[in-house]
Structures are given as C-alpha cells and as structure tokens.
Amino acid sequence: MVDLIRGNPLALAVTNGTAENGPFATHLPVIFDPDAPDDGDAGHNRDAGSTGDGEGGGGLVGTTLLGHMNRANPHWTALQSGAVLLLTFTGPHSYVSPTVYEKTPAAPTWNFTAVHVRGVVEKITSIEETLGVVQSTVRAFEKGFGTGWDMNESLGYFRKIVPAVGAFRFTVTGAEGMFKLSQEQPGEVRERVRESFGQSECTYRRETAELMSRLP
C-alpha cells in the first residue's frame, strides 16, 4: 500500500459537500511528511496482495501526509481543519480479455490496484510552512520521477506564487487497499494473464504484470 502511494502520488481528494451541490473532489499531489517520526515506512514491506482495514491500515494509521491545492479552488474554502478527508490513489490497472484464459465459458474483467486513505485535515496557514510543503513535494518528486532539478534558483518565484497555494497536513485514521490481480483464477490462467500483460507495449499492463509476479 505504501509502495502504491509513493509510486502513484496524484491523489483524488474527496470531502462531503452540501446536499444541494454534492461532494468536492480534487486531484492533487500528496507526499509522506519527511519531518514526521513515521513517514510510512512501517508499511513498506507489506506484500502486494495485502489489504488494510480501519484499525490495521496496512501500517499507515497515524502516518502524516502532505498535500496542496490552489486556494482559488472552492474545495479549499469548503475544507475545514478537523474535517475528515478521503484520499484515493490508483495504481496499475488493465482490462482482461477472456481470450487470454483459453477456456470457455469465461467472462471479462478488469485487474486494478487502489488504496483509499481516510484521515483528519489540518490546514496550514503560515506562508513559510506552505513554502516548506511545496519544497518537500519538489524534492520527493524530483527524486522519484524527475531528473534532479535544482529548485534553488526558482525559490524567489516560489515565494511569489505560494500565497495562492493551500497546503495541508493529513493524519491517517484508516486505510484500505484493493489489489485485484486475477487471484480468483487457477494458477495457470493467472500466469497466462501475467505473461500477456508483461509482453504488452502498454506501461500500465507491464506494471500490472510486475505486481502479479509478487503474488504469493
């Protein structure tokens, strides 16, 4: 679950709205708080088939995450400190055609991976702390996805735009993982699905195959 969040950090944040307008939903980048005592490594070694619940949470309960969105977003105004927020992270996924099963009758399905994390929000009001969240996000993403870009020459620009940024801390109270990877199929069928995905030109399919190879 921790691996999936680190590898797919663009979360969908959802909060309850009014009965008239419905819920708010915003896609935003989320990282583990680098300054927190537990940054999520407690769950780092859980296998790909594991799921957490409201109590266990896959090693995530009590973990602090950091996120930010545009203050002009109505979601930011609606978001209140102390409120419950749902963050959903989507990992590798792909359609499974029955042709791969090599048996009849059969039904198509969709293999997918996802983590839903619930927690309590603390809105950050300090400009300096907000800037710190932005810098921490850059460091995390340059290390995981970038090319080592040095932000130092852009800090002046950061300070100009950071008043428009709404940053928050998020303390995890519960987490659930879903790793649907053809576990319901016999071993030989599951292996054919994995091989089919692994030979595909589609990145999502190859990543799904890699997760399937980690199943016990």
Side-chain angles (χ1 to χ4, degrees), residues 19-96:
E20 178 182 358
N21 297 320
F24 289 91
T26 300
H27 284 92
L28 49 79
V30 174
I31 63 170
F32 288 94
D33 185 353
D35 297 324
D38 175 13
D39 69 352
D41 284 335
H44 190 71
N45 293 320
R46 292 179 65 91
D47 64 81
S50 298
T51 60
D53 56 28
E55 295 180 356
L60 287 166
V61 172
T63 299
T64 304
L65 304 176
L66 300 175
H68 66 276
M69 67 175 73
N70 194 317
R71 284 179 176 265
N73 186 338
H75 196 169
W76 177 254
T77 302
L79 194 64
Q80 300 295 321
S81 290
V84 174
L85 182 69
L86 171 68
L87 298 176
T88 69
F89 300 85
T90 303
H93 58 89
S94 187
Y95 174 72
V96 183

Side-chain angles (χ1 to χ4, degrees), residues 170-207:
F170 176 90
T171 303
V172 178
T173 58
E176 299 171 340
M178 175 61 73
F179 295 79
K180 183 184 177 301
L181 299 169
S182 297
Q183 296 99 320
E184 77 283 3
Q185 296 293 339
E188 65 273 13
V189 174
R190 186 168 63 244
E191 182 60 19
R192 282 197 291 271
V193 175
R194 189 194 66 78
E195 288 182 356
S196 173
F197 283 0
Q199 296 168 3
S200 174
E201 295 182 358
C202 174
T203 300
Y204 267 162
R205 286 194 166 201
R206 294 198 304 272
E207 291 177 348

